[in-house]
Amino acid sequence: GKVISVEFQKAICEDVETKELVELLATYTGYLQCVPETLPYPTIEELVCELAGDDFQNEFCFISNNVLIIHKITIRPGTPLHFQTVHVIEGQRFAGCAVNIAGENVCISIPFSYKAEFYEVEDERLYTLQEIVHSKVLRTKKVKLVDQLKT
C-alpha cells in the first residue's frame, strides 16, 4: 500500500523561557505571532535564505544598525526595509526591497553579498496554527500565543 493522506492532530510547543510543554490541538482557534531572532544576520544572503524560504515567497521586514549605502542611496540606521522578491542580474542575486526615504517609497536591489548587521523586525501579522504548521518557514520560527485580536 501507499500513504494517501496524513492528518495533522496536534502541535506540541515548548515555552522557551520556562521549558514547559504546551499542547495545541488542530482545532485550536487562537492566533500566534512570530517572534524575531535577536542575533544579527551578517549578509543579505543569510537573512533572505533564512527568512524568505526556499522559494523566496515569504515577505518580511528588517533593519540594520549600520548606515547602508546602496546604489548611491543612503539608508539611515534603524530604517525598516521590506523584502519583496529575489531577482538575478548577470548571474548575481539581489534582494528586491521597498524602503521609505524622506516620505517616498523607493524600490532598491541589494546584492546578496552585501555585508552589515541585519535584524529581523517583529511581524505584526497573526497566524493560525494551521498556517504555521503548513509553512516550512514559519515552522522553524519562534512564536507566541496571542490571546485576542488587537483592535
Side-chain angles (χ1 to χ4, degrees):
K2 66 178 183 176
V3 176
I4 56 167
S5 167
V6 175
E7 198 172 306
F8 166 68
Q9 294 180 343
K10 67 182 174 184
I12 299 171
C13 309
E14 180 186 36
D15 184 313
V16 290
E17 291 169 6
T18 65
K19 303 292 183 214
E20 219 175 290
L21 295 180
V22 177
E23 216 173 82
L24 300 177
L25 297 177
T27 54
Y28 177 75
T29 56
Y31 289 91
L32 301 111
Q33 187 174 27
C34 293
V35 177
E37 289 295 328
T38 54
L39 294 174
Y41 295 90
T43 64
I44 285 291
E45 180 173 25
E46 287 185 50
L47 176 82
V48 169
C49 290
E50 180 74 27
L51 299 179
D54 295 339
D55 55 4
F56 302 124
Q57 295 301 306
N58 192 44
E59 293 186 8
F60 60 90
C61 186
F62 64 101
I63 62 166
S64 178
N65 292 339
N66 308 102
V67 171
L68 306 177
I69 299 172
I70 300 155
H71 309 298
K72 299 180 185 169
I73 296 171
T74 301
I75 300 166
R76 294 196 321 257
T79 301
L81 293 108
H82 302 272
F83 168 80
Q84 296 174 319
T85 187
V86 169
H87 49 268
V88 179
I89 302 169
E90 295 175 5
Q92 189 178 0
R93 293 192 298 177
F94 291 82
C97 301
V99 60
N100 190 306
I101 297 173
E104 191 179 326
N105 275 330
V106 178
C107 291
I108 58 169
S109 295
I110 309 172
F112 263 34
S113 58
Y114 197 95
K115 288 183 167 76
E117 283 191 356
F118 300 105
Y119 294 89
E120 179 183 8
V121 172
E122 185 166 341
D123 181 3
E124 293 298 314
R125 185 166 166 208
L126 301 176
Y127 298 93
T128 65
L129 181 59
Q130 294 290 333
E131 286 175 307
I132 300 278
V133 168
H134 290 97
S135 165
K136 193 173 176 181
V137 172
L138 295 176
R139 271 198 316 264
T140 65
K141 303 205 43 75
K142 291 179 186 170
V143 295
K144 62 183 177 185
L145 300 176
V146 178
D147 293 332
Q148 61 221 5
L149 283 170
K150 294 174 186 162
T151 53

